[in-house]
Amino acid sequence: PVETKVRTVSVAGNEVIYGIIRDITDERQYEKRISSLDEITQSLSEAETGQEVKQVAANVLADTLDVSTVAFYRFADDEWELNPVVVNSEASEIGETELSVIEPGDGIEWTALKNGRTEVVDNSDTEASIINANRQMRSEIAVPIDEKSVLVVGDSQPAAFDTWTVNLVETLGAVVETAITRTRQQQK
């Protein structure tokens, strides 16, 4: 999309028409993302369980960012591994195998959970820390949600995420954590 502005001015007694054409693709994407964040926030306020909160967030985030995978992993104390509890991925939509369990130390999910901060990888082929034969993700964002959960956004394309996208995922992570806390309090 473009924005066009045309003006007529007088220069040395002559009428001159000039125009400015500006690409507004970034603004449209920004507006779409802000609108989606509003939609997510509204939908999350209506969710009644933590699982429902995660499913709504995964679905809307996958649509908004047009990525191949959005998942929530949960730490299993008894098995000492990260299990996918909510998955929205292209693979699951066409009937392929769901995301696998992540063993300790494999992937940025563990690093994000252990350090309590967002981790981003631009190309898993060059990042030895997240190489996993079962994954198709080349770009990945992992955002810790609480002490035991992590939100993962991944795409099959390298360098798929800009700073704005990472910030959006982090913001959504905070909104999800708040919504999950609210559902726990309501269930008590």
Side-chain angles (χ1 to χ4, degrees):
V2 295
E3 175 183 77
T4 306
K5 292 184 180 180
V6 179
R7 301 273 191 257
T8 304
V9 295
S10 181
V11 176
N14 296 319
E15 292 292 313
V16 177
I17 299 174
Y18 73 94
I20 299 172
I21 299 174
R22 186 172 67 96
D23 181 356
I24 57 171
T25 302
D26 290 343
E27 284 111 7
R28 292 289 187 244
Q29 289 175 342
Y30 177 81
E31 289 169 3
K32 177 183 175 191
R33 289 174 177 176
I34 293 298
S35 175
S36 294
L37 191 55
D38 287 343
E39 177 187 338
I40 291 170
T41 303
Q42 179 62 36
S43 297
L44 293 181
S45 70
E46 297 168 2
E48 296 179 6
T49 66
Q51 186 73 9
E52 188 179 343
V53 166
K54 291 174 184 177
Q55 190 63 62
V56 167
N59 292 344
V60 176
L61 194 54
D63 290 343
T64 301
L65 298 179
D66 191 29
V67 294
S68 58
T69 302
V70 177
F72 284 87
Y73 282 85
R74 179 108 177 122
F75 176 70
D77 291 316
D78 55 339
E79 299 167 0
W80 199 255
E81 59 192 15
L82 288 172
N83 294 307
V85 293
V86 171
V87 177
N88 182 318
S89 73
E90 292 171 354
S92 63
E93 290 174 11
I94 58 175
E96 293 180 7
T97 307
E98 295 284 334
L99 294 179
S100 61
V101 169
I102 301 174
E103 299 296 327
D106 289 347
I108 65 170
E109 297 83 0
W110 281 100
T111 306
L113 205 54
K114 181 179 104 181
N115 297 336
R117 69 172 185 261
T118 300
E119 297 289 333
V120 180
V121 172
D122 287 331
N123 185 348
S124 67
D125 289 345
T126 61
E127 299 284 340
S129 65
I130 70 161
I131 293 176
N132 180 330
N134 296 328
R135 297 189 193 194
Q136 299 298 317
M137 292 186 281
R138 301 213 30 224
S139 295
E140 191 172 0
I141 304 170
V143 178
I145 299 300
D146 53 30
E147 301 82 34
K148 294 190 176 194
S149 297
V150 63
L151 165 62
V152 177
V153 176
D155 199 68
S156 58
Q157 299 299 313
F161 306 122
D162 58 13
T163 302
W164 202 94
T165 302
V166 173
N167 291 340
L168 177 68
V169 174
E170 288 176 321
T171 301
L172 178 61
V175 171
V176 166
E177 188 169 1
T178 301
I180 290 171
T181 300
R182 178 192 50 79
T183 62
R184 285 183 188 144
Q185 290 172 348
Q186 288 178 339
Q187 290 173 353
K188 288 182 180 181

